[in-house]
Amino acid sequence: MAFWWGADRRLWAAVTAIGVTLAAGARAESLHQYSGLTLSGDGKRLAAVEADKAEGAGSAGHGAVVVRGMDGTVALKVDPCDACRYGNPAWSPDDRTLAFVGSAGGQAVLYLMDGATARPLAAIQGLAHTPRWSPDGREIALLVTENAKKEAGATQAGARQVGEQGEGDDVQRIAIVTVANGAVKLVSPERTYVYEYDWTPDGKGFVATAAEGNGDNNWWIASLRAFGRDGSARIIASPATQIAFPRVSPDGKTVAFIGGLMSDFGSFGGDVYTVPFQGGQPKDVTAGYAGTLTSLVWRGSRLVAGVTVGGETGSAVVDPAKGTVTEVRTAPATRSAGDGRVALDRAGTRAAWVAEGFDFGPRIEYGRLGDLAAITHDNDALAPLVTVTDLAWKNDGMAVQGWLVTPRAPAADGAKLPMVVNIHGGPSAAHTPRFVWGDIMAAFAKAGYAVFLPNPRGSFGQGEAFTRANIRDFGGGDLRDIMTGIDRAEAQAPIDDARLMIFGRSYGGFMSMWAITQTQRFKAAAIGAGLSDWYSYYGQNGIDRWMIPFFGASAYEDPEIYDRLSPIRHVRAVKTPTLLHVGERDIETPVMQTREFWHALRALGVETSFIVYADEGHVMQKAENIEDLNRRTIDWFERHIGTTGGTAGAHGGAQP
């Protein structure tokens, strides 16, 4: 066992009472961020992990756990561990105590904060997250991974591929910590990987999404299960869709969950399903809804849901008995909280979330559900770099949505703007508004580029039929949607079609590779973590199970569809100068997929450049690598878009 009362002295020695003061406001070179936002049951206090993110960094640095009042005033800050990253604050049922996790050096500590001090309760050798209080407040459950070989999740850098393969996978399990003495007990099965969970109202067990085997790979076949605190386990349902947010109704009779076509754990979306806790056939209670439900929480007999409609996000109320979605409130912003899109009080009337838009930085908003207002202002001094237009167009009889983002800095009189087409990953995801600051979007704005962010078929935001519309058709209808959207953007703003560029990572990387085999319209491409050969990719990547729902069968059972949709089969058509990059330890889109495309371009005499970033996974984390990539991308585009419609000097030399 890797649990003990009395943890490593390095961690315990770092435990202090309150005493760390955060910056009074975000500096010009930093962005103040809030994560894990939660609201007390009485609706009077909010808690979040707050930290400043340096410009160009992959994530925020060391922060503190901050408690605020309803007006946003800081009431308390604690930082008991100098080396830790904090996460997952959770209020006790009586609203008196806050639990949170601090992690550092392969260890995690569960802290309790009552009053002005934080004290350690239990330590774990490995990973721990998602603390949830038992209904009676006497225990706290956690998801734990003993002696973890890597951070949880397929987007994280993979473990070194040495030794016997397919053995010794990390296993994430439910553990219960007794508040009175810190005793820890594992309650879910040894070889079962638990992804998400929820207490049953009687405190006797849990509902969860879980699967056997490799946790990174098997989420796509996870089933809905019940686990007893006595070690018992049973399957409630095995839906054909991917499932997320398992939540038990207050009377303990019904389990609700999000079900749909999802391509990445954490990027959740679909319809709302319900099933009896004792088991049965799940029922889609929002079938036909023209939006995507993204999170769930019960309040009485109704479900409060996060929702994406088009490219906007917000909240909605689902009545499972009537099958209705009402009180839909969305805006051009991205909303998030510690447990989905929205944090609620006990009654479900008061709510809070962290919101950000293209033109405003992250801020906490609070108020009555459906009528929230900003209560923090740490990022108000950061001036927006862009203006945005919400675009709508039709293609193949489908309504499609996207965003046209243009720099606020004026172009020369009469000059047309070069434009980058930025394709999102997924494909089950969506471009929703994010503050343009310190990232590649900011680099594009400073370089004077317009950016088109399309949400083609396959995206979230317009219902399950739309999300499922690119099954076995990657690069078909979705590319037509994008190309038609480019025409729409050019009709909206002074865009120079002779200076179009394309950019994408992950699924967006595949789409970018595919697009330049199908059209000569793009003058330069910058592609990250791409997929060049679906057949070989099936055997190379660490998450092959995601492909079955999209292709209908494995590459070995139906090789023709994998082969037909592979950019490498059409690579002789490429003329576009192409910059390529990938993380060395990317298990989602392995290095060899990008290398194969680069090798072909070189052999065919197409100008190309390829960078492999050491120790990076699917999502880049190191500030120096992000800075290097942003610089290379702008330099690459500047070299190849020419001067049509303006002067090279108007856009040259800009750095992120």
Side-chain angles (χ1 to χ4, degrees):
M1 295 293 290
F3 305 93
W4 61 92
W5 172 244
D8 186 290
R9 290 183 180 179
R10 290 170 299 169
L11 285 176
W12 291 139
V15 175
T16 64
I18 181 173
V20 171
T21 302
L22 296 181
R27 301 183 304 277
E29 68 273 16
S30 68
L31 184 73
H32 196 71
Q33 293 195 316
Y34 317 86
S35 63
L37 179 70
T38 186
L39 182 61
S40 60
D42 59 12
K44 295 181 179 180
R45 290 186 295 171
L46 305 100
V49 177
E50 300 191 25
D52 287 332
K53 178 181 177 180
E55 188 168 7
S59 59
H62 178 75
V65 178
V66 180
V67 176
R68 295 176 181 263
M70 294 179 290
D71 62 354
T73 301
V74 173
L76 191 63
K77 302 172 187 174
V78 294
D79 180 12
C81 171
D82 291 341
C84 288
R85 292 291 183 98
Y86 302 116
N88 315 122
W91 291 102
S92 60
D94 64 4
D95 303 322
R96 297 177 59 186
T97 306
L98 189 72
F100 62 92
V101 176
S103 301
Q107 295 180 331
V109 174
L110 176 64
Y111 291 95
L112 295 185
M113 185 175 73
D114 40 18
T117 61
R119 62 181 176 87
L121 180 64
I124 295 96
Q125 184 69 32
L127 304 176
H129 62 93
T130 317
R132 297 189 189 281
W133 291 81
S134 63
D136 63 10
R138 296 178 180 179
E139 296 170 315
I140 301 171
L142 288 165
L143 289 177
V144 303
T145 306
E146 296 180 281
N147 301 309
K149 298 178 180 65
K150 63 180 289 292
E151 292 290 332
T155 62
Q156 300 295 327
R160 293 184 63 205
Q161 299 298 302
V162 296
E164 184 174 358
Q165 301 297 290
E167 299 294 327
D169 291 324
D170 287 346
V171 179
Q172 185 166 266
R173 302 171 67 187
I174 299 173
I176 295 176
V177 182
T178 303
V179 173
N181 58 18
V184 182
K185 177 185 178 182
L186 289 165
V187 296
S188 60
E190 288 184 8
R191 294 178 176 82
T192 299
Y193 195 103
V194 177
Y195 298 94
E196 300 176 273
Y197 76 105
D198 189 29
W199 281 94
T200 57
D202 59 10
K204 294 181 178 180
F206 308 90
V207 296
T209 56
E212 279 64 49
N214 183 279
D216 289 341
N217 194 24
N218 289 328
W219 173 68
W220 290 271
I221 58 170
S223 57
L224 184 67
R225 307 190 187 190
F227 297 118
R229 58 185 304 131
D230 59 359
S232 61
R234 63 179 174 86
I235 293 177
I236 297 172
S238 298
T241 63
Q242 287 68 63
I243 56 177
F245 278 92
R247 298 293 182 262
V248 190
S249 61
D251 62 9
K253 295 180 179 180
T254 304
V255 182
F257 61 90
I258 302 288
L261 186 67
M262 307 179 215
S263 48
D264 282 291
F265 181 81
S267 181
F268 300 139
D271 286 342
V272 175
Y273 288 76
T274 60
V275 63
F277 177 69
Q278 294 305 318
Q281 182 64 35
K283 178 183 178 181
D284 186 346
V285 299
T286 60
Y289 176 62
T292 300
L293 288 308
T294 57
S295 66
L296 289 177
V297 59
W298 286 94
R299 286 298 182 265
S301 61
R302 66 179 189 163
L303 287 157
V304 179
V307 65
T308 298
V309 179
E312 298 188 346
T313 71
S315 63
V317 173
V318 176
D319 185 326
K322 296 179 181 178
T324 58
V325 182
T326 60
E327 300 179 45
V328 179
R329 301 287 189 273
T330 66
T334 295
R335 279 73 175 260
S336 63
D339 198 8
R341 281 276 169 82
V342 57
L344 294 170
D345 67 2
R346 196 174 293 111
T349 56
R350 295 281 175 176
W353 52 38
V354 178
E356 64 178 302
F358 287 115
D359 58 352
F360 67 90
R363 65 196 188 197
I364 296 175
E365 296 180 349
Y366 170 83
R368 295 189 66 83
L369 182 64
D371 186 23
L372 281 67
I375 61 169
T376 63
H377 305 278
D378 299 279
N379 295 310
D380 285 3
L382 297 177
L385 296 175
V386 299
T387 58
V388 182
T389 303
D390 188 345
L391 295 181
W393 65 97
K394 292 275 191 178
N395 184 52
D396 296 344
M398 291 187 175
V400 192
Q401 183 271 341
W403 304 99
L404 177 60
V405 182
T406 54
R408 288 206 171 201
D413 290 344
K416 291 187 174 182
L417 295 172
M419 186 170 78
V420 179
V421 178
N422 183 347
I423 305 176
H424 67 65
S428 304
H431 280 303
T432 60
R434 301 280 185 177
F435 186 52
V436 177
W437 182 90
D439 58 6
I440 191 63
M441 286 288 291
F444 291 155
K446 292 176 182 179
Y449 303 160
V451 182
F452 176 49
L453 304 172
N455 287 321
R457 70 190 73 181
S459 302
F460 290 155
Q462 302 202 58
E464 270 298 282
F466 189 81
T467 302
R468 299 181 64 85
N470 68 344
I471 290 177
R472 294 176 65 87
D473 189 39
F474 289 171
D478 44 8
L479 182 58
R480 293 195 300 275
D481 291 346
I482 291 168
M483 301 307 291
T484 306
I486 293 172
D487 296 338
R488 176 70 182 87
E490 291 179 354
Q492 174 69 35
I495 304 300
D496 186 353
D497 189 71
R499 292 192 292 163
L500 288 182
M501 300 156 279
I502 192 166
F503 175 90
R505 301 191 78 257
S506 194
Y507 186 76
F510 155 74
M511 285 292 291
S512 299
M513 286 181 176
W514 179 263
I516 62 176
T517 72
Q518 305 298 305
T519 177
Q520 305 302 323
R521 195 168 178 181
F522 300 106
K523 299 304 179 285
I527 301 172
L531 303 156
S532 61
D533 186 335
W534 287 111
Y535 187 86
S536 63
Y537 171 78
Y538 190 88
Q540 292 173 355
N541 77 87
I543 55 167
D544 60 282
R545 290 192 182 273
W546 82 266
M547 304 172 74
I548 305 299
F550 290 89
F551 285 85
S554 76
Y556 314 128
E557 296 167 317
D558 189 3
E560 187 276 334
I561 186 65
Y562 287 82
D563 192 66
R564 176 158 49 89
L565 300 182
S566 293
I568 202 69
R569 298 296 177 264
H570 309 274
V571 72
R572 288 179 59 85
V574 177
K575 306 298 181 186
T576 306
T578 303
L579 174 69
L580 299 156
H581 79 272
V582 68
E584 178 194 15
R585 293 162 60 189
D586 189 337
I587 64 173
E588 284 208 3
T589 55
V591 170
M592 293 308 296
Q593 285 294 306
T594 300
R595 179 174 290 277
E596 184 175 358
F597 200 72
W598 169 74
H599 183 276
L601 295 184
R602 290 224 308 173
L604 295 168
V606 178
E607 186 178 358
T608 185
S609 179
F610 176 35
I611 310 99
V612 179
Y613 286 100
D615 294 320
E616 294 280 16
H618 193 61
V619 177
M620 300 269 283
Q621 295 291 337
K622 298 179 181 178
E624 62 270 24
N625 291 340
I626 294 171
E627 180 182 4
D628 179 78
L629 177 60
N630 288 355
R631 176 186 56 78
R632 288 175 184 267
T633 300
I634 297 299
D635 288 349
W636 187 264
F637 283 162
E638 290 292 295
R639 284 170 52 193
H640 293 102
I641 60 174
T643 59
T644 304
T647 64
H651 307 294
Q655 299 297 319

